[in-house]
């Protein structure tokens, strides 16, 4: 609607900071696909979903925060992936109750974890190994994304760094709670 204050504000922000329509379209498309898709076969497929729902937000946000140049883009993409993967690892049980399973089927098969096991909340050595693998991949993404924070405008570095550290800390909580 033309008189919706949220849409009016969003239009002004997009124009002021030069947020590309592409990122907005990618975000909307990914959210729509997520509603229709409940499983991911490969990490590549999952990463594409994470890019759409999270990295696009980072790519838009960095334009508002300010950044040093195109070299910052890969870092924003990786941070978006890391943040969304953290959500996924934190919310396996909750997502399952909603009929969704974001863990890649190829990873589950590799570690011998079945959907039945997830449905029953069975935490055994296979589950722990799967989660250790996923957490290690997630931490590697945080480590790869971290240098990009220095490429943001100085006013935005601290809040992004804090958010990054707090979110990465969720992985520690998952481990402390025996996955």
């Amino acid at each position: 609607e033309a008189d919706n204050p949220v849409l009016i504000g969003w239009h002004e922000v997009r124009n002021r900071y030069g947020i590309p329509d592409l990122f907005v379209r990618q975000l909307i498309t990914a959210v729509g696909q997520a509603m229709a898709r409940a499983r991911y076969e490969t990490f590549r497929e999952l990463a594409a979903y994470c890019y759409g729902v999270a990295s696009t937000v980072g790519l838009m946000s960095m334009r508002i925060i300010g950044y040093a140049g195109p070299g910052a883009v890969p870092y924003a993409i990786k941070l978006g992936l890391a943040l969304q993967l953290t959500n996924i690892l934190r919310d396996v049980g909750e997502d399952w109750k909603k009929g969704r399973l974001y863990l890649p089927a190829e990873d589950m098969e590799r570690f011998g974890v079945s959907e039945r096991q997830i449905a029953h909340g069975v935490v055994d050595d296979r589950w722990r190994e799967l989660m250790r693998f996923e957490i290690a991949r997630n931490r590697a993404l945080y480590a790869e994304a971290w240098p990009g924070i220095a490429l943001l405008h100085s006013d935005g570095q601290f809040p992004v760094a804090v958010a990054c550290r707090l979110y990465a800390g969720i992985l520690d909580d998952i481990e402390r709670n025996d996955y």
Side-chain angles (χ1 to χ4, degrees):
E1 291 183 30
D3 61 347
N4 182 310
V6 172
L7 294 179
I8 292 169
W10 173 234
H11 179 73
E12 289 175 13
V13 167
R14 284 181 60 197
N15 286 339
R16 182 179 322 143
Y17 295 103
I19 296 173
D21 289 341
L22 173 64
F23 299 147
V24 177
R25 285 194 310 272
Q26 289 174 325
L27 174 61
I28 292 168
T29 298
V31 170
Q33 288 173 346
M35 293 179 169
R37 185 169 189 176
R39 303 286 189 279
Y40 295 86
E41 290 300 314
T42 66
F43 180 72
R44 184 183 184 107
E45 290 176 0
L46 181 61
Y49 161 75
C50 292
Y51 169 86
V53 298
S55 295
T56 56
V57 174
L59 292 168
M60 289 186 267
S61 298
M62 65 190 264
R63 282 161 172 76
I64 296 167
I65 294 168
Y67 63 103
V73 169
Y75 296 106
I77 291 171
K78 287 182 181 186
L79 184 55
L81 294 176
L83 295 169
Q84 188 62 29
L85 286 173
T86 301
N87 284 339
I88 288 167
L89 296 178
R90 179 195 63 203
D91 297 339
V92 174
E94 184 179 320
D95 288 335
W96 179 263
K97 290 174 188 170
K98 295 176 184 174
R100 301 195 181 293
L101 180 60
Y102 293 97
L103 296 174
E106 68 182 0
D107 295 349
M108 291 175 54
E109 184 177 326
R110 175 179 171 190
F111 291 96
V113 173
S114 68
E115 287 191 18
R116 180 176 168 81
Q117 180 173 350
I118 291 171
H120 294 292
V122 176
V123 175
D124 61 9
D125 289 342
R126 294 173 304 181
W127 173 255
R128 288 181 188 97
E129 287 302 311
L130 170 63
M131 289 300 285
R132 283 183 193 109
F133 173 78
E134 300 296 349
I135 287 171
R137 174 166 41 202
N138 204 170
R139 284 188 173 129
L141 284 166
Y142 278 115
E144 292 169 17
W146 185 259
I149 295 172
L151 300 176
L152 296 173
H153 185 277
S154 60
D155 290 345
Q157 291 177 9
F158 180 73
V160 172
V162 168
C164 184
R165 290 291 190 215
L166 288 173
Y167 239 71
I170 292 170
L171 302 174
D172 300 332
D173 292 340
I174 292 170
E175 290 171 328
R176 271 193 296 279
N177 290 301
D178 195 28
Y179 306 95

